[in-house]
Amino acid sequence: MHPALSVIFFTVLSGAGYGLFMLVAVLHLTGSYPDASSGELQTQLAVALVLITIGLLSSSLHLHNPRNAWRAFMRVRTSWLSREAVLAVAFYPFALWYAWEVRATGGDVGQAGMIMGVIAVLLAGLTVFSTGMIYASLKTIRQWHTALTPANYLLLGLALGGLALVAIHGWFVGDDPLLGGIAIALLVLAAIMKGIYFLWIREVTGPTINTATGFTRAPVRILDPGHTAGTFLTREFGFDPGRQVIQRARLGVFALGFALPILLLAWVLSGAPAHWLTLALISALAGIGLERWLFFAEARHAVMLYHGRQHT
Amino acid sequence: MRLGLVIDLDTCVGCHACAVACKQWNTSGTTGPLTDIAAYGAEPSGVWFNRIRHYEVGDYPNNKTVNMPMSCMHCEDADCVTVCPTGASYKRKEDGIVLVDQDKCMGCNLCAWACPYGARELDPVDGVMKKCTLCIDRIYDETLEPEDRQPACVITCPAHARFFGDLDDPDSQVSRLTRERAGQTLMPELGYKPTNTYLPPRVTRPVPTDDVRRKSLISSVKEWVNQAIVR
């Protein structure tokens, strides 16, 4: 699959934003946010909302006819993309109400504000889940058609959010064992999940060139695809960077996305200056960005069977 | 009613006439234009509703060339319709034809991602998805002669390898062909229940060659003389 930069930006940034929002709101609402100053809470929520908004705006860049983007709310009953759009927009009033209450009351929100916060957290989680389900619902791409896809989107969003949380907390107060612990735990969980995903997609399943053409009793090879230059299909689905690049990118995902941030977190927790957490966040954003690129680059669409691939 | 195509892989010669007729009819039809990009350049590309690919089945010397024209299968469980967030993609209840309402499409590509048959192509100039309409502006056009109310690809096929009809009607020509020739659908394991059906090449008796006479001295001389006279 062709990796569209706008979609990579969208899913990584808005995933991080939703993750940050969920973690901040849950910690705040349960009263376990350490040294919760009003200014810090406001900054955390503002950063989350800015990340989400940049992501959502960037997502509209991959539309070829954005004039009709408003129609994306019309098919909630069947389409995960429609559900995502509706949930993403429904999130804003609750999140803004909650953030406004935090600003107005200095963090000591009333009952209405708490309910708004809880609903916003639920909507944030459902939005990220829907993003994952857009990909997981496609039977044509076996690498995506798995329960691991929405799980990955949720966990990677939360892990990035956890890192953003400690990094911003680092600028305001300094390192904190609870927040650092949450961030490390989420990163480890996300790394394990990503490892399982890579293991899972190694197994070749699904349609082959034989079932695609209907000739299951003999080997089938392509003689001619019927066109001399690229088509929409080969450009959109034919992207294949090669085995070696994919292996290196996987290494990069684990090194930049998980290993370096975990090491930096552990280092800061054992006494190093908390500003190093910002580097951990930047490294994780690069690593997860690479992961999102890989998510597309490794996906093999079934239509490529008609263009000569023996299996997906 | 479940309108669709039946394509005979035994008689298809792979001439691409169906694709050209399709392009000609539809580029000036209701879903047109089928935009071309660099049509006279080094790498010509563009929107097509119908593409023909060529395969080799089996290993030499027991191999066979199979030409496979592919357009929208007008699936019964069409995921391209369910994933569409705008409602631009829809399947007609009355005849099962899957269409795109170009006034509603936002060009997100998701329906093309959901289609395993490569039936949908984005028009980069119009920014909307385009696909086979089963020539809906032909098959219901009562100003045409009844025999002309068929998709352009079916009418044009010089090998009579394409048939159009109602696959729900057990007595229609397409249903009969599917039954008698063991017609099959492509990638049935994905569960889209495609309507278009492909008739596999007939199993024919090999032409016997062991009774062909070997060359004798006289036949060689005759052959040489015949050729010399023609020259």
Side-chain angles (χ1 to χ4, degrees), chain A residues 135 144 149 153 194 197 291-299:
Chain A
Y135 303 102
W144 293 355
T149 302
Y153 269 81
K194 203 67 222 177
Y197 174 81
E291 181 275 336
R292 217 38 58 84
W293 178 85
L294 202 52
F295 180 74
F296 284 89
E298 280 192 290

Side-chain angles (χ1 to χ4, degrees), chain A residues 79 140 211 219 221 223 230 301 306, chain B residues 45 54-56 58 83 113 189:
Chain A
S79 167
T140 45
T211 64
R221 283 173 293 269
L223 289 176
H301 195 282
Y306 293 110
Chain B
S45 189
H54 311 271
Y55 301 95
E56 179 188 24
V83 301
W113 291 11
E189 68 272 30

Side-chain angles (χ1 to χ4, degrees), chain B residues 2 10 36 78 99 109 152 160 171 198 216:
Chain B
R2 191 160 59 97
D10 194 55
D36 280 324
L99 292 175
N109 277 356
H160 290 292
D171 297 325
Y198 287 80
S216 65

Side-chain angles (χ1 to χ4, degrees), chain B residues 14-82:
Chain B
C15 66
H16 293 239
C18 50
V20 175
C22 164
K23 180 108 174 167
Q24 186 275 331
W25 177 261
N26 285 300
T27 202
S28 44
T30 50
T31 49
L34 273 62
T35 311
D36 280 324
I37 302 127
Y40 302 101
E43 302 227 312
S45 189
V47 181
W48 294 76
F49 293 170
N50 189 1
R51 290 186 182 273
I52 297 89
R53 304 180 178 99
H54 311 271
Y55 301 95
E56 179 188 24
V57 179
D59 291 320
Y60 179 83
N62 303 307
N63 54 348
K64 180 172 176 55
T65 300
V66 174
N67 309 298
M68 188 164 260
M70 287 180 66
S71 52
C72 175
M73 306 281 162
H74 299 282
C75 302
E76 275 187 75
D77 282 346
D79 266 18
C80 55
V81 173
T82 49

Side-chain angles (χ1 to χ4, degrees), chain A residues 209-257:
Chain A
I209 194 170
N210 300 92
T211 64
T213 55
F215 296 100
T216 50
R217 282 180 253 183
V220 177
R221 283 173 293 269
I222 191 156
L223 289 176
D224 195 300
H227 44 78
T228 49
T231 69
F232 167 76
L233 299 173
T234 59
R235 277 191 294 273
E236 188 73 6
F237 306 118
F239 182 78
D240 185 1
R243 200 70 236 143
Q244 210 180 8
V245 176
I246 282 179
Q247 290 296 351
R248 281 186 198 152
R250 281 185 178 185
L251 268 180
V253 170
F254 279 108
L256 290 174

Side-chain angles (χ1 to χ4, degrees), chain B residues 83-97:
Chain B
V83 301
C84 177
T86 62
S89 277
Y90 63 104
K91 185 171 172 67
R92 281 158 56 103
K93 279 219 171 60
E94 58 268 39
D95 52 18
I97 298 180

Side-chain angles (χ1 to χ4, degrees), chain B residues 88-156:
Chain B
S89 277
Y90 63 104
K91 185 171 172 67
R92 281 158 56 103
K93 279 219 171 60
E94 58 268 39
D95 52 18
I97 298 180
V98 176
L99 292 175
V100 178
D101 184 342
Q102 294 185 15
D103 291 338
K104 292 183 183 168
C105 177
M106 67 175 188
C108 70
N109 277 356
L110 191 57
C111 56
W113 291 11
C115 176
Y117 307 109
R120 290 167 168 258
E121 302 196 9
L122 185 97
D123 186 326
V125 175
D126 287 358
V128 294
M129 203 49 82
K130 298 189 173 176
K131 69 176 287 299
C132 160
T133 64
L134 216 56
C135 285
I136 198 153
D137 45 357
R138 260 196 99 99
I139 58 178
Y140 290 117
D141 187 349
E142 286 176 4
T143 62
L144 294 174
E145 296 294 317
E147 61 268 27
D148 283 336
R149 292 179 208 160
Q150 297 193 70
C153 58
V154 174
I155 292 176
T156 211

